[in-house]
Amino acid sequence: MTAPVATEPQAPGDAFVPRILVLSTNNISDPGIDLAGSSHMHYSPGVKVIGVPCTSGIRPSWILHALESGFDGVFVASDGDECAYLPDCAKRSSRIVGEAQARMRERGIDANRLRLAAICSVCAEPFTRHLGQFSTALAALGPAAAELTP
Amino acid sequence: MTAHEAANARRIGVYVCHCGGNISDYVDVDKVIADIEDAGDVVVAKTAMFACSDATQQDMVADITAQQLDGLVVASCSPKLHTYTFRGVAARAGLNPYEYTQVNIREQCSWVHTDDQQGATDKATALVRAGISRTRLTTPLEPMVVETLPRTLVIGGGIAGLRAAIGLADIGLGVTLVERELELGGWVRRFGPMYPHGKDGRALIETLVAEVRRRPAITVLTGAEVVGKAGSFGNYRVTVRVGGEGAGTIEVAAGSIVAATGFDAYQPETGEFGYGIEGVVTLPEFKALVDEATAPLTHRGRPVRSVAYVYCVGSRNTGGCANAYCSRFCCAATVQTAVQVSGLDPSIRQFHLYRDMRTYGKFEPLYTEARKAGSVFVKFDNDAPPAVARRDGGGLTVTVRDLLTHNEELALPADLVVLVTGMVPRDNEALVGVLKLPAGSDGFFNEIHPKLRPVETVVDGVLIAGACQGPKTSAESVASGLAAVTQSAAILKKGFTELDPLVATADQGACTACGDCLTACPYDAISMTETGDRHFAVISPTGCKGCGGCVPMCPENAIDLLGYTDAQVTAMIESLVEVPA
């Protein structure tokens, strides 16, 4: 007999629903995500959004903290070239994501648990598609908690 | 709760909205309340049929006052809709508006999880908990009150800038109008008869310039360029160089700035549709020729008996580097020019090679008029563009496949080929650097919102108007110039302004004066200062735009964006992963 593996908090039979933190922008990507709601599109209730003014202001430590606290993936919905604050926003956001991924690897977390995409103010359909694909990919990876090196 | 926690505990009121069923049909709002009301610092927890209704707002005010609440959480719709409503509720109850947090459980919860009531309810609980966590860490913030100067600097003396200057003076604001050229009037000064009244562009400009001269509130600086800007919204100090390179500068004080710097005409590459061959001209070149012409029409001494127009040159391109946008004025300008040509000499043959005709709105009659006057329109496929070549024995031949006659190949003889070129952004790199104007991927300046805030930029008090925003007709340019007048008046006539206090702050104690943040801010809001022998960064609250771009650049984590502090975001993340009981 092998010892039971106790990493799965959910009831047996329940499919694993990945928890995804979305970091979106107040002026552009958040309205796009709102539009998915107004258009009655669907995505997983495991998806939860925190809005910030600009994704160039995200600390990589927030992403790490989310993955260490129980989120299975983080999706950064950025303004891309549309950012009204910073002309080099896309570059800055990529740098932040790159730094977070490097730190994720150090912690044993799969770098694919972090995604970045430009989501515009009418990008409801691309957003739900991105999140659908991300949920599927994260479901295949399993819970992030299992990857964390102690 | 420990005694220490109890002593420091906040007194938070939480309101969860039914939205008349929009939320409560999918989210069990009573369960959400049951899941959060035990938190020691949640003093009031209620549902409301419509949180935004007057009755509920009055309830909130009464609760805040009676229960001495110091934090407010409203879980209802998107913050885009009612943030100012509930900030107002807080203010009316004597609670600092920045102690309130909006939680979106409609657009980002009930409406996207209509198929999963349990999932939607658990998520709503987590979102409300995150809102409470954020509110625990709010501090009262005061909008910054800044006195403003009743004066506007207008950059660009084209039709938009001229009309804006007149409007500003009439509304009681002082105006400094800066024009780079020696003469006012921009593009329109060069135009002949304009649709629909047939009045000359130069006559329109003369009228506007006379109006400008009649107003002592307007100071005009020609041959002048803006080379520096200091200060912030309400109190800009703008350095203007008058008289060209190396000349002296003057300083102009202004509360707001309107950039109406216009456009350039697209300049085709040599060889693009035959450009460079004798007889191949651009639309502005041809318009100038026709405006000056008397019958018979000639070009460089040779009679013009036939004209072929190739539309969309430099516009509506797919694939990477080229201009993707439609310049919108050029179809109308071209058919208007063709009508003018027919008026000069009805026997001149005119062929219009187009991709799609866009004589929208009130320009449609022009298109009909051109066809009635004999212009022939040939539609080509963008994948099979017309070819322009020299014809043996003089003149040009344009070869094109006509989509409307089964791709029949036509070889059209033409004395002149007119490349219908659109508008491109003016090369204004220096000015963009000075004003920090945000440009889009197409190079035109970006407004905050094309519909709701169409002339404001992210730089407070710096407005944009006219074709520097994107291709516009002269009428549309004037309309946006007047919008900039209204907006300038809206922000300057009170005499003071309040700036949103959600800005970045640097912790002096933690700052090591490494300087990494200085280059992080394109708005120059961060500077180094010193007290005694200690150097540290300070962030100007009026210069900061609140983007937070400097936050992750600080190796010491010494910068926080108010409203989105490290502690708040971290606490929200932790609340969002909690699973409701």
Side-chain angles (χ1 to χ4, degrees), chain B residues 316-324 382:
Chain B
R316 303 175 65 213
N317 291 307
T318 48
C321 52
N323 304 324
N382 192 33

Side-chain angles (χ1 to χ4, degrees), chain A residues 17-129:
Chain A
V17 179
R19 296 179 192 169
I20 303 175
L21 174 67
V22 176
L23 294 166
S24 75
T25 66
N26 292 341
N27 292 327
I28 297 182
S29 62
D30 218 42
I33 299 169
D34 279 352
L35 184 62
S38 324
S39 314
H40 296 278
M41 296 175 180
H42 283 166
Y43 50 80
S44 160
V47 175
K48 289 158 191 165
V49 181
I50 293 180
V52 294
C54 170
T55 51
S56 294
I58 294 172
R59 291 190 189 201
S61 62
W62 295 345
I63 295 168
L64 264 289
H65 188 66
L67 295 167
E68 288 171 352
S69 307
F71 277 105
D72 301 300
V74 176
F75 186 92
V76 177
S78 83
D79 295 348
D81 293 334
E82 280 190 72
C83 177
Y85 296 108
L86 301 167
D88 58 345
C89 180
K91 213 169 83 186
R92 290 179 187 231
S93 301
S94 306
R95 192 193 63 79
I96 290 162
V97 163
E99 194 182 321
Q101 283 181 323
R103 288 166 64 176
M104 286 162 65
R105 286 191 198 95
E106 283 169 21
R107 295 282 287 115
I109 306 170
D110 193 324
N112 290 315
R113 292 186 184 276
L114 172 58
R115 285 192 183 180
L116 164 75
I119 298 295
C120 73
S121 59
V122 292
C123 282
E125 199 276 328
F127 176 76
T128 50
R129 200 175 55 233

